[in-house]
Amino acid sequence: ADAADDPRVGMLHVVRTQAAEILTGQGEAEQLRNRHARWYADLIEPADILAHNDAPRQWPLLQREADNLLAAARWAARGDVPVLVALARRLWPWLTYTGRVGDLREAVPAPIDVVDDNPAAREQAFLHNLAACYAQTQTGDHAAALASAERALRLAGDTPDRETALLATAV
């Protein structure tokens, strides 16, 4: 059977709310959300167009899991920069293609606030380029796009990696 025909299991809001309260009361909610975000980042690794030529074949999976993926990105934006970068890198092309770039920006309202405290320049450069692309294509804020792109290039140094070079050309 096609993966699109796989049955989906939903959860009643009241059950979800009660489960969240129990997990929070037991001090396990944060750990579970971290595992959820990492699991989804790993699940969609084949959707990374910079690593896999056939990545667009994974886009139906991204469509089916969109709510979980965006929830994972929102959680990762609270401080798990490597997972945030992995999710953003793997989701950005699909969201752009499907006209849903705003969904990632909504899921990650202030990624730069998280990233600026992280010492990994490559991750900072990627998310600054992502912010530049968003500002340029979605809001038309050319000044913000230029500022983010320049910051990304400074962080990337003299030899931007492949992701940075590809995103920089979009601004």
Side-chain angles (χ1 to χ4, degrees):
D2 184 358
D5 296 330
D6 289 346
R8 302 292 298 183
V9 176
M11 187 182 303
L12 294 173
H13 178 72
V14 68
V15 173
R16 181 189 321 252
T17 302
Q18 185 177 14
E21 289 173 5
I22 291 169
L23 286 169
T24 300
Q26 295 175 348
E28 296 179 18
E30 185 172 330
Q31 179 184 18
L32 183 63
R33 287 186 179 112
N34 288 337
R35 287 178 38 209
H36 174 267
R38 283 189 209 105
W39 191 87
Y40 272 99
D42 290 343
L43 174 71
I44 65 168
E45 193 279 330
D48 187 340
I49 65 169
L50 297 174
H52 304 284
N53 292 336
D54 63 346
R57 291 184 185 192
Q58 300 299 316
W59 290 359
L61 170 66
L62 301 182
Q63 181 65 41
R64 282 191 310 278
E65 296 293 342
D67 291 342
N68 277 312
L69 291 165
L70 295 172
R74 276 191 299 275
W75 182 257
R78 295 170 52 112
D80 194 340
V81 176
V83 171
L84 175 61
V85 169
L87 286 164
R89 188 177 66 230
R90 295 163 189 170
L91 289 172
W92 179 263
W94 168 70
L95 290 170
T96 301
Y97 180 78
T98 58
R100 297 179 60 184
V101 174
D103 286 350
L104 184 60
R105 183 62 182 176
E106 180 184 329
V108 187
I112 303 308
D113 294 340
V114 174
V115 172
D116 284 340
D117 293 334
N118 188 288
R122 180 177 180 211
E123 292 170 348
Q124 289 184 36
F126 175 81
L127 288 179
H128 278 288
N129 263 308
L130 194 64
C133 290
Y134 179 82
Q136 179 70 21
T137 62
Q138 301 300 305
T139 66
D141 187 345
H142 304 297
L146 182 60
S148 288
E150 287 174 345
R151 180 108 190 249
L153 289 173
R154 277 195 310 275
L155 288 164
D158 295 333
T159 57
D161 61 28
R162 185 174 178 195
E163 289 116 329
T164 302
L166 287 171
L167 284 175
T169 62
V171 176

